[in-house]
Amino acid sequence: MSDPTLDPRLGSWVPVPEGSDFPIQNLPYGVFRPSGDTPRVGVAIGEHVLDLAAAQAAGAIDELPQGIFAAPALNRFMALGRRAWRRNREQVSAVLAGDRPDGAEAWLHRQEDVAMERPVEIGDYVDFYSSLHHATNVGMMFRPDAEPLLPNWRHLPVAYHGRASSVVVSGAPVVRPSGQRSGPDGPVFGPTVRLDIEMEVGFVTGVGNPLGTSIPVGSAEDHIFGLCLVNDWSARDIQAWEYQPLGPFLGKSFATTMSPWIVTLDALAPFRVAPPPQDPAPLDYLAVDGDAAFDLQLEIRLNGEVVSRPPFREMYWTAAQQLAHATVNGTNVRTGDLYASGTVSGETPDTLGCLLEMTWNGARPLSLAGGEQRTYLEDGDEVVLRGWCERDGATRIGFGECAGTVVPAYGGGGET
Ligand code: CA
């Protein structure tokens, strides 16, 4: 059965510029704050945002608890589950399609006039490592005499628990972290000199599971509210010195940026594709079939210049497999958990997801337009991640921006 909210013929009374990330077929959710007012939930449409709290108060949206959108996070809405998400999407689509409802202009704000906030109150943050090309490249760099992939990699989606408190929304500055790194005469302390990005795609959970149970891979998507872009900023020198034997810690926990708009699985339905074949076949609890992956094209801009276009559809492990694996031991996922995919890298040099790979750990500097070179990020550098989906017969949708600018380390940045 075709979904009327995805019909390419559907238009809106809100003007949507050609090529916008936010046509009426997208309808991503976020949290915004009008000037001098309190944060509330909205939906992006073209260059505007529809205030769902105001639309609900006016009676244009019903069947949900009153005031659920007059909140600084999507969590209460996300906890209602797929049926409520679906019903609300249909109502928002109806409000924005066709003729303008009476009074609806008061529910609209220009995006340039509002501040976007972190859309989700994040309880737990997990970061996977699910790109075959990324894991292979990193293995070749750091274990040149061994098999690039460790023995577990093709059998389970490897991950670590990250830090939720430092997940910030697009636009927040990223302070260059300081820490220990290995030096020729022992460890030294100071600001990282190998500050990197990792282009990733995250999903947020709407409905969790009770402790002691697990989420089957076949129903994992019922728990996933939607996808966003993620930049897992990484201090490679701090990371390299600290990570064995327990994994990433301070080299990652200083900042993670997420995009402000959550694109729902309903909006992504036209862009489903089969994931790459898995060899060997995973254990039964991770077995998926059909179009379990999403054809999402990604882009990394460094100081305005496109430096890579990673293909998300090539990720080895899918979101459903990641969530099934994350709960197979009986741990409990909660509303508002964030799960990032791991660095998205393709096979070719123009599709790599981090500077570590693009410069081969600094050995091959990037040449930028204007004659500058980069191995790792310098203070003042701006990184903008984007993502979009397009195919014949469907309306192109996008994720907006996931942006951050590096600011100097606290304390003047001197070495000690
Ligand atoms: Ca990562």
Side-chain angles (χ1 to χ4, degrees):
M1 193 171 66
S2 67
D3 177 349
T5 68
L6 296 169
D7 188 338
R9 295 168 298 183
L10 201 60
S12 175
W13 52 268
V14 181
V16 176
E18 183 77 23
S20 167
D21 277 353
F22 309 123
I24 194 171
Q25 290 79 7
N26 191 348
L27 305 179
Y29 290 79
V31 171
F32 73 101
R33 185 165 41 80
S35 179
D37 212 333
T38 52
R40 71 279 313 272
V41 173
V43 163
I45 176 76
E47 295 172 329
H48 290 78
V49 50
L50 178 72
D51 182 339
L52 293 192
Q56 187 189 35
I61 290 168
D62 55 23
E63 300 178 23
L64 295 177
Q66 271 302 325
I68 195 167
F69 297 119
L74 290 168
N75 293 49
R76 277 181 67 204
F77 174 58
M78 296 197 304
L80 297 178
R82 177 154 302 287
R83 182 183 295 211
W85 307 338
R86 174 78 217 160
R87 178 69 183 135
N88 188 250
R89 174 179 169 84
E90 290 168 354
Q91 290 194 339
V92 170
S93 179
V95 164
L96 290 170
D99 297 328
R100 187 181 70 198
D102 286 343
E105 62 273 16
W107 313 335
L108 277 188
H109 299 263
R110 291 187 63 81
Q111 287 174 23
E112 64 186 21
D113 294 337
V114 303
M116 296 307 299
E117 308 228 334
R118 190 175 73 169
V120 175
E121 183 57 40
I122 299 169
D124 283 289
Y125 164 46
V126 167
D127 193 16
F128 286 92
Y129 191 58
S130 290
S131 160
L132 176 67
H133 306 300
H134 174 70
T136 302
N137 285 335
V138 172
M140 286 166 60
M141 267 184 266
F142 293 117
R143 296 183 304 276
D145 301 322
E147 272 295 306
L149 291 181
L150 291 169
N152 58 5
W153 198 89
R154 286 179 183 271
H155 295 283
L156 57 86
V158 169
Y160 69 94
H161 276 98
R163 185 154 189 89
S165 66
S166 54
V167 179
V168 296
V169 74
S170 176
V174 173
V175 177
R176 179 178 297 274
S178 293
Q180 278 195 33
R181 61 177 185 271
S182 177
D185 304 312
V188 294
F189 177 85
T192 175
V193 296
R194 296 198 168 195
L195 182 58
D196 200 356
I197 56 165
E198 291 191 339
M199 162 108 244
E200 308 195 12
V201 176
F203 66 83
V204 292
T205 47
V207 180
N209 62 301
L211 184 61
T213 69
S214 52
I215 295 175
V217 69
S219 56
E221 289 189 356
D222 289 340
H223 296 259
I224 296 175
F225 179 70
L227 272 54
C228 63
L229 305 177
V230 174
N231 187 344
D232 175 30
W233 304 88
S234 300
R236 299 302 184 192
D237 41 8
I238 297 172
Q239 182 186 355
W241 174 234
E242 75 176 359
Y243 86 102
Q244 289 177 316
L246 288 185
F249 185 38
L250 302 181
K252 299 275 193 178
S253 64
F254 58 94
T256 305
T257 306
M258 71 185 294
S259 54
W261 299 108
I262 310 294
V263 177
T264 64
L265 298 195
D266 281 334
L268 290 164
F271 309 103
R272 286 180 167 278
V273 290
Q278 292 183 317
D279 183 18
L283 296 178
D284 284 349
Y285 81 91
L286 289 171
V288 292
D289 52 22
D291 293 340
F294 299 97
D295 187 7
L296 170 54
Q297 181 61 55
L298 305 175
E299 179 182 274
I300 305 171
R301 285 179 188 258
L302 173 55
N303 295 334
E305 187 176 334
V306 176
V307 294
S308 184
R309 289 229 166 99
F312 186 62
R313 66 178 294 166
E314 293 183 18
M315 296 298 276
Y316 193 85
W317 296 103
T318 67
Q321 288 175 319
Q322 290 167 341
L323 190 55
H325 183 66
T327 59
V328 74
N329 66 345
T331 198
N332 50 334
V333 162
R334 294 177 294 182
T335 299
D337 283 1
L338 173 65
Y339 292 82
S341 61
T343 306
V344 183
S345 287
E347 202 164 7
T348 57
D350 56 347
T351 61
L352 301 173
C354 61
L355 291 169
L356 172 71
E357 289 173 272
M358 288 183 223
T359 69
W360 213 251
N361 198 17
R364 306 172 193 159
L366 276 186
S367 292
L368 301 176
E372 283 198 87
Q373 291 201 323
R374 282 293 182 281
T375 50
Y376 288 98
L377 297 173
E378 298 188 1
D379 291 345
D381 280 350
E382 184 196 41
V383 177
V384 177
L385 312 180
R386 300 190 70 94
W388 64 90
C389 302
E390 56 188 343
R391 72 159 178 81
D392 288 345
T395 306
R396 177 196 179 282
I397 63 170
F399 281 65
E401 285 188 359
C402 180
T405 299
V406 180
V407 302
Y410 289 126
E415 299 280 326
T416 59

